[in-house]
Amino acid sequence: ILSVVAWHYLGVGDGPASTPWRTFMVGRVGVDLFFVLSGYLITGILLANANSQSYFSTFYRRRSFRILPIYAGMVAIYLIGRQLNGGVRALFDGPLPWWSYVIGLQNIWMTIDQTYGASWLSGTWSLAIEEQFYLIFPLVVYFMPPRLLPRLLIALLVLCPIGRMIAGGLGDGFGYYVLMPLRADILAIGALIAWLESSGPVSAT
């Protein structure tokens, strides 16, 4: 967390050619570590409760209560800030449609417009990735035959970097970094570790 904060507040502002940028850029790895931890924790929860009758309702309810109240407050401040005049409005101005933040698809519009949008919510691309992961992966774990899950995760480890290279080669400066399908390999690392633990090959000692 501290590395990410340092990157945003001490490194980004002076541009790629500056010493602070090069020094604190390592903070971006903090987001990748968070995705690995998220993939590990969420997959562990899903695998442990795969046979529960309340599998979906319990998971989605808990995720919603953890994330949505605070996020709703941030979005409410953003919507109010858009109506303000003066210098503070710079935090809330941006080309992304307001509703993209509400429904958690701002990372898609960041890719379309090639911008992080309003400064107040610019970092929420990672939350959008998480929300999309929460929506899709429980379905994958529940309906996919157990023997196929590790194959899918390994396939993501191979395909996602290729997808990022293709996106970069096409001139994309945002999608390779903010789209869930192109960052799914980072989540898959944690998910694969959780699968290994749940299936028994990894010793507790």
Side-chain angles (χ1 to χ4, degrees):
I1 293 172
L2 290 176
S3 69
V4 174
V5 172
W7 161 243
H8 280 287
Y9 285 93
L10 301 176
V12 175
D14 295 327
S18 67
T19 298
W21 177 290
R22 294 192 295 267
T23 301
F24 294 105
M25 189 177 179
V26 69
R28 299 178 74 173
V29 178
V31 178
D32 292 330
L33 177 59
F34 173 77
F35 285 152
V36 172
L37 291 173
S38 179
Y40 170 74
L41 293 171
I42 295 303
T43 304
I45 291 171
L46 293 173
L47 292 174
N49 295 279
N51 296 320
S52 171
Q53 293 183 343
S54 60
Y55 172 85
F56 289 108
S57 60
T58 299
F59 176 80
Y60 288 129
R61 183 172 62 250
R62 288 179 177 175
R63 291 299 103 193
S64 297
F65 284 146
R66 284 180 180 272
I67 295 174
L68 294 184
I70 296 175
Y71 181 61
M74 290 188 64
V75 173
I77 294 171
Y78 160 73
L79 294 174
I80 294 171
R82 282 167 55 97
Q83 309 305 317
L84 299 177
N85 294 316
V88 70
R89 185 170 178 173
L91 279 173
F92 309 104
D93 274 340
L96 274 62
W98 64 269
W99 50 263
S100 67
Y101 297 107
V102 174
I103 63 176
L105 295 179
Q106 62 268 44
N107 57 335
I108 294 176
W109 262 262
M110 288 175 182
T111 303
I112 292 173
D113 291 334
Q114 293 289 286
T115 175
Y116 285 112
S119 297
W120 178 255
L121 295 175
S122 61
T124 60
W125 62 268
S126 60
L127 181 59
I129 288 178
E130 285 291 316
E131 290 176 340
Q132 292 154 21
F133 173 62
Y134 294 160
L135 285 173
I136 295 172
F137 201 61
L139 297 169
V140 172
V141 172
Y142 190 80
F143 290 108
M144 177 171 284
R147 63 184 178 82
L148 295 182
L149 181 60
R151 299 179 186 182
L152 170 64
L153 297 175
I154 292 172
L156 290 174
L157 297 181
V158 175
L159 295 175
C160 290
I162 295 174
R164 287 194 293 270
M165 287 189 289
I166 293 173
L170 294 175
D172 167 50
F174 282 82
Y176 79 96
Y177 193 66
V178 304
L179 290 178
M180 193 273 287
L182 297 182
R183 300 300 299 277
D185 56 327
I186 312 299
L187 292 160
I189 293 172
L192 192 58
I193 295 171
W195 176 84
L196 286 170
E197 285 190 344
S198 70
S199 60
V202 177
S203 171
T205 59

